[in-house]
Amino acid sequence: MTTPGYQEIFVSLLLLLTGVLCIRFRKLTFAGAIWAMVLGLVLYYGAGFSSLVLLAVFFLSATAATAYRKREKAAMLGRPVHEERRAAWQVLANGGVPMLAGLAALMFPEKFIAELLIAAALSSATSDTLSSELGMVWGKRFFNIATFRREAPGADGVVSLEGTLAGILGAAMIGVVFYLFNGQSRAAYIVFAAGITGNLTDSFLGAWLERKQLLGNDAVNFLNTLVAAGVAWLLFLLS
């Protein structure tokens, strides 16, 4: 068995410290923190440091967007918004697909495809979170993405122009970080396009299935990242 080097020890301790801080400041439940640390380790050992940075970008931006003008969101909905503290299922809903790609990278020699799929899934998760959380407070006109009828903000499948732009920014942010580490502009565009596609998929699933209670929010989040990863794989094969 290979002895862990200084970098591996540093990353492990950093993930442990992050998990403890997330529990302390009520950003993750205990189980959520455990799964987040496992996810971080899988991404690091499977796909490298760049995928761990992408995970951090998603988590920090999602946490900030969720906390942003939280009272205003609650007043708009007429009820408390969802718990800022993410539970285990929420971590797995957004991180399950990246974790599976990271595990695949541990078993197969070709790691770039795994890195691409991880980035695409996290691009979708970031785009979805920013569009929904920021769109609620920045949006001016809200409509059902499936019917284009005007509806109240916060309902499943309801979007706004401002929220959509925030989602595009989120996907672009992950694409830029991916490019900075890999230097492949075509792959970065794929990550960007896959993230937007996943976000739109989330909205349509919300309008068609989630509001009918055929799917829960965690399932929709998992499916949008899965679709994004599938789109990225397809675009990579065609490019």
Side-chain angles (χ1 to χ4, degrees):
M1 181 179 292
T2 304
T3 303
Y6 290 116
Q7 183 172 320
E8 286 78 9
I9 294 174
F10 172 76
V11 168
S12 300
L13 291 175
L14 180 61
L15 288 172
L16 177 61
L17 176 61
T18 302
V20 171
L21 291 175
C22 286
I23 295 171
R24 169 65 179 81
F25 292 103
R26 302 180 63 81
K27 299 304 179 184
L28 293 171
T29 64
F30 179 79
I34 294 296
W35 277 108
M37 287 186 284
V38 171
L39 172 61
L41 288 172
V42 169
L43 294 189
Y44 174 70
Y45 282 101
F49 186 72
S50 61
S51 294
L52 190 59
V53 173
L54 291 174
L55 177 64
V57 171
F58 159 66
F59 179 73
L60 291 174
S61 61
T63 300
T66 301
Y68 179 69
R69 294 165 67 173
K70 186 176 180 180
R71 291 183 179 178
E72 185 176 334
K73 295 174 191 174
M76 186 181 302
L77 294 174
R79 57 175 171 79
V81 294
H82 60 76
E83 180 75 33
E84 239 183 273
R85 190 170 54 163
R86 309 284 180 171
W89 285 114
Q90 291 172 300
V91 172
L92 292 174
N94 288 303
V97 172
M99 184 182 291
L100 291 174
L103 289 172
L106 286 169
M107 296 182 287
F108 299 101
E110 179 53 64
K111 295 187 181 297
F112 180 75
I113 294 178
E115 292 177 28
L116 180 69
L117 300 186
I118 290 167
L122 291 175
S123 176
S124 179
T126 306
S127 180
D128 171 44
T129 304
L130 266 59
S131 65
S132 59
E133 294 292 343
L134 299 179
M136 281 187 61
V137 291
W138 289 351
K140 303 300 181 184
R141 296 182 178 181
F142 300 88
F143 59 92
N144 185 312
I145 194 170
T147 65
F148 293 100
R149 293 177 181 173
R150 293 283 295 273
E151 292 190 19
D156 299 323
V158 172
V159 299
S160 67
L161 173 61
E162 294 80 5
T164 301
L165 292 175
I168 291 173
L169 177 62
M173 182 168 57
I174 296 296
V176 168
V177 175
F178 182 79
Y179 172 76
L180 291 176
F181 277 97
N182 293 277
Q184 298 195 30
S185 58
R186 181 175 297 179
Y189 285 124
I190 288 175
V191 169
F192 173 66
I196 295 174
T197 304
N199 184 17
L200 292 174
T201 299
D202 184 280
S203 297
F204 278 107
L205 289 175
W208 289 334
L209 300 177
E210 189 176 358
R211 65 169 52 197
K212 296 178 182 178
Q213 299 184 341
L214 297 175
L215 285 177
N217 183 252
D218 290 338
V220 170
N221 285 338
F222 180 82
L223 288 174
N224 85 58
T225 57
L226 183 62
V227 167
V231 168
W233 197 347
L234 179 61
L235 291 176
F236 179 77
L237 293 177
L238 294 176
S239 63

